[in-house]
Amino acid sequence: MVGSQPLSTWNEGAPKSAILDFVARVTTQGGAEFVPPAERIATFDNDGTLCSEQPLQTQFFFLFDRVKELSARDPAMSGRQPFKAVLDHDYNALFGLGRQALFELALATHAGVTDEDFDQIARGWLATARNPKLGRLFRESVYRPQVELLAYLRENGFKTYIVSASGVDFLRAFANEAYGVSREQVIGSSVKLRYDVGGDRISLMKLPELNSFNDREAKPLNISLHIGRRPRLVFGNSDGDLAMMRYAKSGSGERLALLLHHDDAEREAAYDREFRISPLAEALDKAEDYGITVVSMKRDWKVVF
Amino acid sequence: MVGSQPLSTWNEGAPKSAILDFVARVTTQGGAEFVPPAERIATFDNDGTLCSEQPLQTQFFFLFDRVKELSARDPAMSGRQPFKAVLDHDYNALFGLGRQALFELALATHAGVTDEDFDQIARGWLATARNPKLGRLFRESVYRPQVELLAYLRENGFKTYIVSASGVDFLRAFANEAYGVSREQVIGSSVKLRYDVGGDRISLMKLPELNSFNDREAKPLNISLHIGRRPRLVFGNSDGDLAMMRYAKSGSGERLALLLHHDDAEREAAYDREFRISPLAEALDKAEDYGITVVSMKRDWKVVF
């Protein structure tokens, strides 16, 4: 990047200026808004913020493939919901079963293996699985302007975190390669673990029991637990990110909250309030009240992938 | 430190050699045991490992002072256990009440304030509170050889974490100043938080409900949750650290587990299995079996404070 202009994949406009101005202010030594490097924390949602979540978030496709694999070994699974709906590719039925069924699905497909074995399973899947809408590998269905922004923030002394409702172990299987975000800077949903001793070998077994569903209000709570600081910059794309945006914005000093609006049917997708998995409504309606900068994919990004 | 020998506060001997050899092996590019920087994770217990825990762990003195303060505002507290025992300075009675009473004490003194207000309260207390045995500020009752070791590991590309049963917000109030460990690299016990909206201001309220008691088997579980990697180096001083030592040691490749033995009545304290808060017995008896390197404070440290 040396010699090139920062955020070259972003079009000129209010959001790009807001980011550049914000970074200049908080990094200007002796300036009124200077923020010491230790306090430069940036948190990004993942699905729909850093990568495409259409037609569904990446982890759903992983779940579906895990159900196929697990049901091949346990035929009784095939007749039971929510597994049946998955095997029938009946997503209307699946999402009609409600939130609890989706949790059951997530827990069943993420438990019964160690954290380290799960990492291998997820990496194996990510090596070849493709987004059906985009036709590209999921792990490459990431937004180039965001990858550039993350790198730009790190060059300016920020620690960049992912704070996502997707499973933490799943996210960690690609966050470094896709975004340059290391494993310890990923905060996600999690199941409980069990400490297992097998001879000399200690392993941690993933249990079918929720530890934390990292969405909405849980995002700031987990940020406090894991980081212990209010973020200076937050980037999200749905109402699930509003709590962490407001949390950041109500801290003292300079703070920037950015909201990606998917309004680009041609290059990616156009959706907001009607997306049933993770709608965007309140955050969009209240963006001005809450001091949130709305980023238009269509207008503000020179490229998408 | 430039120009000086590493670990100058450590005496020559097997533990110092084990540390220097380990660091040389994992950082030698092209060597068989080379470990990429991203995987260089070191986890240290706090009380008794990085700072003195005699006559009691620092946080107990903080708790006692909080009880005095809170009971002045709520006189009914004074007549009830476990608060009465604290106000009577009857520590035999207090510890005789058992584990549940100690939890109740911890929860009562850590809840009802936001995480940020708690940070201010803890910093205020740490500014003047002194260890009664040593006569020095608690925040300065830290072991110089360990502070040097932490810095040495960081100079060699390690991320240094504290993984302690003490409260995470309490530890964060001094970890950076005392050890150079930043807030996000502190993993401790925690209470649940509540997302509160007051006008435009979002705050996170600490609730009198346990989220995680970060001791024994919980240490590796929380290491997986927060860091997502088995540590390469672990340093502890009690049976409460054994699970994370064994977890680290049973990973592949080079790993080092170190156990501080308090055998120095003259310069600090001599104790192990009889310390009721956090005894050292199994880890000492099984050190050889588990490949743990025992560090003698008396023999291996040139200075203590």
Side-chain angles (χ1 to χ4, degrees):
Chain A
M1 299 281 215
V2 177
S4 72
Q5 291 298 309
L7 305 190
S8 61
T9 53
W10 287 65
N11 287 321
E12 299 308 317
K16 180 173 176 172
S17 296
I19 296 169
L20 295 175
D21 291 352
F22 167 81
V23 170
R25 279 196 300 277
V26 301
T27 58
T28 300
Q29 198 106 29
E33 299 296 352
F34 179 73
V35 172
E39 295 176 24
R40 294 182 203 158
I41 301 293
T43 61
F44 283 70
D45 170 56
N46 180 60
D47 299 278
T49 299
L50 296 179
C51 66
S52 192
E53 62 179 352
Q54 292 292 347
L56 283 174
Q57 284 96 340
T58 308
Q59 195 153 11
F60 278 106
F61 293 96
F62 172 75
L63 294 184
F64 297 163
D65 286 347
R66 283 285 286 162
V67 168
K68 283 176 213 152
E69 207 183 305
L70 295 172
S71 65
R73 280 183 261 158
D74 172 14
M77 212 173 174
S78 322
R80 272 193 299 134
Q81 292 295 21
F83 311 107
K84 188 175 180 308
V86 171
L87 294 167
D88 293 346
H89 301 274
D90 188 349
Y91 304 137
N92 277 325
L94 178 65
F95 293 111
L97 294 171
R99 188 181 160 94
Q100 197 49 47
L102 296 179
F103 274 119
E104 199 191 323
L105 190 61
L107 294 173
T109 50
H110 282 68
V113 291
T114 69
D115 57 344
E116 291 170 350
D117 286 345
F118 182 86
D119 188 67
Q120 292 306 310
I121 292 167
R123 281 173 196 272
W125 184 83
L126 287 158
T128 60
R130 282 175 192 276
N131 179 303
K133 184 171 148 71
L134 300 170
R136 49 168 77 222
L137 292 175
F138 282 108
R139 58 178 190 176
E140 291 169 358
S141 301
V142 302
Y143 303 137
R144 251 177 72 197
Q146 300 291 62
V147 173
E148 190 185 7
L149 174 57
L150 287 164
Y152 171 68
L153 290 170
R154 289 191 295 264
E155 284 161 19
N156 282 281
F158 279 81
K159 290 200 179 76
T160 55
Y161 282 81
I162 293 171
V163 179
S164 164
S166 283
V168 62
D169 293 326
F170 184 75
L171 293 161
R172 282 174 174 159
F174 68 96
N176 194 45
E177 291 82 343
Y179 311 124
V181 173
S182 53
R183 297 176 67 83
E184 67 273 17
Q185 288 173 359
V186 177
I187 301 170
S189 294
S190 55
V191 294
K192 291 193 190 296
L193 298 169
R194 187 183 65 214
Y195 178 84
D196 278 353
V197 182
D200 276 348
R201 174 80 180 165
I202 308 298
S203 56
L204 308 184
M205 180 61 68
K206 288 169 74 79
L207 303 178
E209 194 184 338
L210 187 67
N211 178 57
S212 173
F213 179 53
N214 190 41
D215 199 22
R216 298 187 175 259
E217 284 75 12
K219 290 193 174 192
L221 306 187
N222 279 322
I223 288 170
S224 173
L225 179 64
H226 288 251
I227 308 176
R229 292 185 189 278
R230 277 185 206 246
R232 289 283 167 172
L233 184 149
V234 172
F235 212 135
N237 81 306
S238 80
D239 288 353
D241 304 313
L242 185 55
M244 74 167 167
M245 289 182 174
R246 296 190 65 195
Y247 173 57
K249 284 295 288 183
S250 75
S252 60
E254 282 293 296
R255 314 270 168 172
L256 185 62
L258 298 148
L259 176 71
L260 180 62
H261 190 202
H262 292 262
D263 56 1
D264 195 334
E266 203 177 312
R267 296 188 298 176
E268 197 240 13
Y271 64 97
D272 43 48
R273 34 198 106 228
E274 77 286 359
F275 186 39
R276 64 179 153 187
I277 311 297
S278 182
L280 168 61
E282 188 189 353
L284 196 58
D285 295 339
K286 299 260 186 77
E288 204 174 318
D289 287 0
Y290 295 151
I292 293 168
T293 301
V294 178
V295 174
S296 153
M297 182 181 276
K298 189 172 182 170
R299 184 194 62 207
D300 296 315
W301 285 1
K302 208 168 279 176
V303 295
V304 176
F305 299 106
Chain B
M1 300 280 215
V2 176
S4 73
Q5 290 299 309
L7 305 190
S8 62
T9 53
W10 287 65
N11 287 320
E12 300 307 317
K16 179 172 176 173
S17 296
I19 296 168
L20 295 174
D21 291 352
F22 167 81
V23 170
R25 278 196 300 276
V26 301
T27 57
T28 299
Q29 198 106 28
E33 299 295 354
F34 179 74
V35 173
E39 296 176 25
R40 294 183 203 157
I41 301 292
T43 61
F44 284 70
D45 169 56
N46 180 60
D47 299 278
T49 298
L50 297 179
C51 66
S52 192
E53 63 179 352
Q54 292 292 347
L56 282 174
Q57 283 95 341
T58 308
Q59 195 153 12
F60 278 106
F61 293 96
F62 172 75
L63 293 184
F64 297 163
D65 286 347
R66 283 285 286 163
V67 169
K68 283 176 212 153
E69 207 182 306
L70 296 172
S71 66
R73 280 184 263 159
D74 172 14
M77 210 174 176
S78 322
R80 272 194 297 132
Q81 292 296 21
F83 311 107
K84 186 175 183 308
V86 171
L87 295 167
D88 293 346
H89 301 275
D90 187 350
Y91 303 136
N92 276 322
L94 177 66
F95 293 110
L97 294 171
R99 188 180 159 96
Q100 198 47 47
L102 295 180
F103 275 119
E104 199 190 323
L105 190 60
L107 294 172
T109 51
H110 282 69
V113 291
T114 69
D115 57 343
E116 291 170 350
D117 286 345
F118 182 86
D119 188 66
Q120 292 306 309
I121 292 168
R123 281 173 196 272
W125 184 84
L126 286 159
T128 59
R130 280 174 195 276
N131 179 302
K133 184 171 147 72
L134 300 170
R136 48 170 75 223
L137 292 175
F138 282 109
R139 60 180 189 174
E140 292 171 356
S141 301
V142 302
Y143 304 137
R144 252 177 71 197
Q146 299 293 61
V147 173
E148 190 184 7
L149 173 57
L150 287 163
Y152 172 67
L153 290 170
R154 288 192 295 265
E155 283 160 19
N156 282 281
F158 279 82
K159 291 201 179 74
T160 55
Y161 282 81
I162 292 172
V163 179
S164 164
S166 283
V168 62
D169 292 327
F170 184 75
L171 293 162
R172 282 173 174 160
F174 68 96
N176 194 44
E177 291 82 343
Y179 312 123
V181 173
S182 53
R183 296 175 68 82
E184 66 274 17
Q185 289 173 359
V186 177
I187 301 171
S189 295
S190 55
V191 293
K192 291 194 190 299
L193 298 169
R194 186 184 66 214
Y195 177 85
D196 278 353
V197 182
D200 277 348
R201 174 79 181 165
I202 308 297
S203 56
L204 308 184
M205 180 60 69
K206 289 169 74 79
L207 302 178
E209 194 184 337
L210 188 67
N211 178 57
S212 173
F213 180 53
N214 190 42
D215 199 23
R216 297 184 177 259
E217 284 75 12
K219 289 193 174 192
L221 306 186
N222 279 322
I223 288 170
S224 173
L225 179 65
H226 289 251
I227 309 176
R229 293 184 188 277
R230 279 185 205 245
R232 289 283 168 171
L233 183 149
V234 172
F235 212 135
N237 82 304
S238 79
D239 288 353
D241 304 312
L242 185 55
M244 76 166 166
M245 289 182 175
R246 295 189 65 194
Y247 173 57
K249 284 295 289 183
S250 75
S252 60
E254 282 291 295
R255 313 271 168 173
L256 185 63
L258 297 149
L259 176 71
L260 180 63
H261 190 202
H262 293 263
D263 56 1
D264 195 334
E266 203 178 312
R267 295 188 298 177
E268 197 239 13
Y271 65 97
D272 43 48
R273 27 198 111 229
E274 77 286 358
F275 186 40
R276 62 180 155 188
I277 311 297
S278 181
L280 168 61
E282 188 188 352
L284 196 59
D285 295 339
K286 299 259 186 76
E288 204 174 316
D289 287 0
Y290 294 152
I292 294 169
T293 300
V294 179
V295 174
S296 153
M297 181 179 278
K298 187 172 182 170
R299 184 194 61 208
D300 296 315
W301 284 1
K302 208 168 278 174
V303 295
V304 176
F305 298 106

